[in-house]
Amino acid sequence: MVRTQSRWLRGAIVLAAVALTGAVAGPSAPATAGPAARSALDSAFLRAAGEFDVPRDVLVAVGYGETRLDAHEGKPSQANGYGVMHLVSNPTQHSLERAAELTGEPVARLKTITPANIRGGAAVLREFADAEGLTAADRSRVAAWYPVVAKYGAAVDDATARLYADQVYDLLQHGIPGAAPVRARRLEPELGRYATVAPAGAAGIGLAAAVPEYPAARWVPANGANYGVGRSSRITTVIIHVTQGSYAGTVNWFQNPSAGVSAHYVVKSSNGEITQMVREGDTAYHARSGNAYGVGIEHEGYVDNPAWFTDAMYRSSAALTRYLCDKYGIPKDRNGIKGHYEIPGNDHTDPGPNWNWDYYLSLVNQGGGSGGRYLAGSPTDFTGDGRDDVVAFTQGSLNDV
């Protein structure tokens, strides 16, 4: 109420000044965007930010990092997350249910009504901020929210939490376009306890197990419950997937033992960053009947939104696929490189109608062969000792992503 009166008073003073001076803006003077000019989405973010004392830009960046602010008509992500704020309900994550408790919103509304979903995300962030001990002064500073954002990602460890928070703060620094824009800014996030934690897959860990097979990738291992050790077939196919979720969220999901799914590689939308999560010689659970012979590459995004499929992603993924084709003798065409939907026994549609196969294959076929530097023996010589390394493995269920 006080804030409304103050705004009215400032407006009255301006009008009075205009009347006294006779100064009237000419017809070419640009109008200043006021509340009426805001999009409905931006207004929802502004209201939720004010209600829960969360910086509006932090709230937008978290949502944009999760979903590009696309509610996907209330359909769940692969981690069973909903809405632009990706409120999750699965065996280990319950931000959806917690948001319902904090806001009084029914779960059904949180899943399908965007303003309610944004309120829910803001409420959860504020609860995390209180748990982190952020004061009112702290809450006014975007940089102070780093530990809170890291917690929102519900990562399995601090290293993956840093990967998630770094992605959000990268968005804050570079800016966000669209219906709820965020201006670019120079920003030094206050890392708190994460200052001594390296992001998941960061180079220099010094462990042999931390070295990816594809040199351009980082290595973050999936949980052992989500893949089978070894293979029962030679590698003949690269299988293209879309995550139906964010990059950091997918990395975290594959580390979660309750997921029952994984892929060998995950590619980030904005810059083409690649994380390897399962060794090529092991069987990731990503395509049911194709698990035994396929190498799965997940691409950050949703099949119904082509904005996720950036040129950086296409080029980075194509270089990875070219490496795999050279290494295992896979044809660099639609016989050797297939979509998830083309694998028998699957009901998925990814990578969907927005995936540009012609462009992708043209990129895969640029750059020539590997010169034999990847492969010493057969297409299943995973160790490079010249012998076939196909082994049997025990697999409980062949889940798909």
Side-chain angles (χ1 to χ4, degrees):
M1 185 66 177
V2 174
R3 194 175 302 162
T4 302
Q5 290 174 336
S6 176
R7 188 181 297 116
W8 176 88
L9 182 60
R10 287 196 300 271
I13 292 172
V14 170
L15 289 173
V18 169
L20 288 171
T21 62
V24 179
S28 62
T32 301
R38 291 185 182 275
S39 69
L41 183 66
D42 197 17
S43 296
F45 275 111
L46 196 65
R47 287 193 302 270
E51 179 181 359
F52 294 99
D53 198 13
V54 178
R56 177 260 183 200
D57 287 2
V58 169
L59 191 60
V60 173
V62 169
Y64 192 88
E66 289 281 8
T67 65
R68 293 279 176 92
L69 308 184
D70 188 340
H72 303 289
E73 299 178 341
K75 297 174 183 176
S77 70
Q78 64 164 332
N80 208 42
Y82 293 86
V84 298
M85 297 304 297
H86 197 240
L87 297 174
V88 181
S89 176
N90 66 44
T92 60
Q93 296 173 248
H94 302 285
S95 58
L96 176 64
E97 291 85 357
R98 188 60 188 148
E101 294 174 7
L102 292 169
T103 63
E105 296 274 10
V107 166
R109 276 181 55 82
L110 289 168
K111 286 182 176 180
T112 58
I113 306 300
T114 292
N117 185 270
I118 293 171
R119 276 194 77 223
V124 171
L125 281 166
R126 174 56 190 273
E127 183 175 58
F128 290 162
D130 291 344
E132 290 289 333
L134 267 64
T135 65
D138 293 331
R139 294 195 299 273
S140 68
R141 293 183 291 106
V142 168
W145 284 77
Y146 186 96
V148 179
V149 170
K151 191 171 184 179
Y152 190 91
V156 298
D157 54 38
D158 284 349
T160 307
R162 269 217 63 177
L163 182 69
Y164 179 90
D166 284 349
Q167 177 173 312
V168 171
Y169 272 78
D170 185 64
L171 290 169
L172 286 166
Q173 292 186 73
H174 287 87
I176 298 171
V182 172
R183 63 175 178 80
R185 73 190 76 194
R186 297 184 64 179
L187 184 64
E188 288 290 336
E190 298 169 20
L191 304 182
R193 69 176 181 277
Y194 295 100
T196 58
V197 178
I205 296 176
L207 299 175
V211 178
E213 290 167 285
Y214 181 58
R218 65 171 74 211
W219 169 251
V220 180
N223 188 277
N226 297 333
Y227 68 92
V229 176
R231 283 186 182 265
S232 61
S233 176
R234 63 186 290 266
I235 294 173
T236 63
T237 309
V238 175
I239 302 175
I240 303 299
H241 300 268
V242 173
T243 61
Q244 295 298 102
S246 70
Y247 174 74
T250 299
V251 171
N252 185 47
W253 186 233
F254 291 169
Q255 291 180 291
N256 190 320
S258 68
V261 293
S262 63
H264 295 89
Y265 292 96
V266 185
V267 185
K268 188 175 181 179
S269 170
S270 62
N271 60 5
E273 178 182 291
I274 297 174
T275 293
Q276 182 176 6
M277 302 199 68
V278 178
R279 296 290 175 188
E280 294 159 15
D282 291 332
T283 304
Y285 301 163
H286 61 105
R288 292 186 178 174
S289 67
N291 289 346
Y293 58 80
V295 176
I297 304 178
E298 286 280 359
H299 297 81
E300 180 185 24
Y302 290 80
V303 296
D304 61 354
N305 188 344
W308 289 95
F309 304 146
T310 64
D311 195 61
M313 170 183 278
Y314 275 125
R315 290 181 177 276
S316 179
S317 174
L320 169 60
T321 293
R322 183 167 61 247
Y323 147 84
L324 291 168
C325 290
D326 289 343
K327 185 173 182 178
Y328 297 111
I330 299 170
K332 296 175 186 174
D333 55 28
R334 295 291 277 111
N335 293 311
I337 305 166
K338 298 182 178 181
H340 189 177
Y341 72 97
E342 297 175 285
I343 306 303
N346 286 281
D347 58 1
H348 285 227
T349 62
D350 56 315
N354 294 308
W355 183 260
N356 191 333
W357 278 109
D358 290 340
Y359 180 54
Y360 187 69
L361 290 175
S362 74
L363 293 173
V364 171
N365 282 279
Q366 291 176 9
S370 67
R373 64 183 179 274
Y374 299 126
L375 186 62
S378 75
T380 46
D381 173 21
F382 305 119
T383 60
D385 62 358
R387 294 180 299 177
D388 192 325
D389 294 323
V390 168
V391 295
F393 65 93
T394 301
Q395 182 174 335
S397 62
L398 297 178
N399 296 293
D400 63 341
V401 179

